[in-house]
Amino acid sequence: MGLFPEDFYSNTQSAKVKNEIPLLKDYAIDLKTGEVLYDENNNEIIVEGLDAVIVQSWRKIYIPKFDVNNNEGYSIYGKNFGSQINKLIGKGKNYGETFAHQMLVECLVDNVYVTGINNISTKLEKSSYLINYTMETIYGNYQDSYYIPLD
């Protein structure tokens, strides 16, 4: 018998396989309403990769983070799921510019599928302002926008 057990190399290979990130899958949704999409046989449509990241990011942005003190959000998702971007509603543009990046990072970056948020810009449009940003994912970058009403 040698210095290492016979399955030394296969154990190393198994460890590498365990560290691989599984392909992200989720139900397809209408990005305007959040409604699940169905195929012609009335089965839920499944999306993978970047499309699944987009679906999950939509949910994370549009579902308020659970706050037991103010009875906001949905406890089913847990305390770390969702966003606090709704707290920018009614605030001025300067306030939003100050906190939008931080809120997007806290909401979206999971360091598994979404690795960063950059290229944030805001634009005043009538009674709301628009936050444009790029989400960096392991599947590629995705540019998105979010409208926040000012009144």
Side-chain angles (χ1 to χ4, degrees), residues 64-78:
K65 187 175 272 192
F66 182 66
D67 182 354
V68 70
N69 297 324
N70 296 322
N71 205 20
E72 293 177 343
Y74 302 93
S75 61
I76 190 170
Y77 290 107

Side-chain angles (χ1 to χ4, degrees), residues 10-55:
S10 64
N11 283 342
T12 303
Q13 189 67 16
S14 296
K16 286 182 183 176
V17 170
K18 290 179 185 175
N19 289 334
E20 288 182 16
I21 299 170
L23 177 63
L24 186 62
K25 297 179 182 183
D26 206 334
Y27 294 106
I29 63 170
D30 180 323
L31 295 176
K32 292 181 181 172
T33 65
E35 302 272 330
V36 174
L37 299 177
Y38 296 89
D39 65 14
E40 62 277 352
N41 297 322
N42 207 28
N43 296 316
E44 295 96 351
I45 298 171
I46 304 294
V47 291
E48 301 177 338
L50 183 58
D51 291 331
V53 170
I54 293 166
V55 166

Side-chain angles (χ1 to χ4, degrees), residues 29-34 54-65 73-74 77 81-86 89 104 107-108 130-131 133 144-149:
I29 63 170
D30 180 323
L31 295 176
K32 292 181 181 172
T33 65
I54 293 166
V55 166
Q56 288 193 359
S57 69
W58 187 95
R59 279 195 198 102
K60 288 177 180 179
I61 286 176
Y62 287 95
I63 292 176
K65 187 175 272 192
Y74 302 93
Y77 290 107
F81 188 91
S83 77
Q84 295 182 326
I85 292 178
N86 60 327
I89 295 172
L104 285 171
C107 169
L108 299 175
L130 173 67
I131 300 174
Y133 61 94
D144 201 6
S145 301
Y146 183 78
Y147 282 94
I148 298 176

Side-chain angles (χ1 to χ4, degrees), residues 18 81 85 88 91 93-94 112 116 135 139 147-149:
K18 290 179 185 175
F81 188 91
I85 292 178
L88 297 177
K91 306 289 191 225
K93 184 176 183 287
N94 290 337
V112 177
M135 184 170 50
Y139 303 114
Y147 282 94
I148 298 176

Side-chain angles (χ1 to χ4, degrees), residues 109-126:
V109 176
D110 61 11
N111 290 318
V112 177
Y113 297 103
V114 179
T115 57
I117 302 294
N118 63 36
N119 300 328
I120 291 182
S121 65
T122 61
K123 180 179 175 184
L124 195 58
E125 291 188 356
K126 296 185 182 177

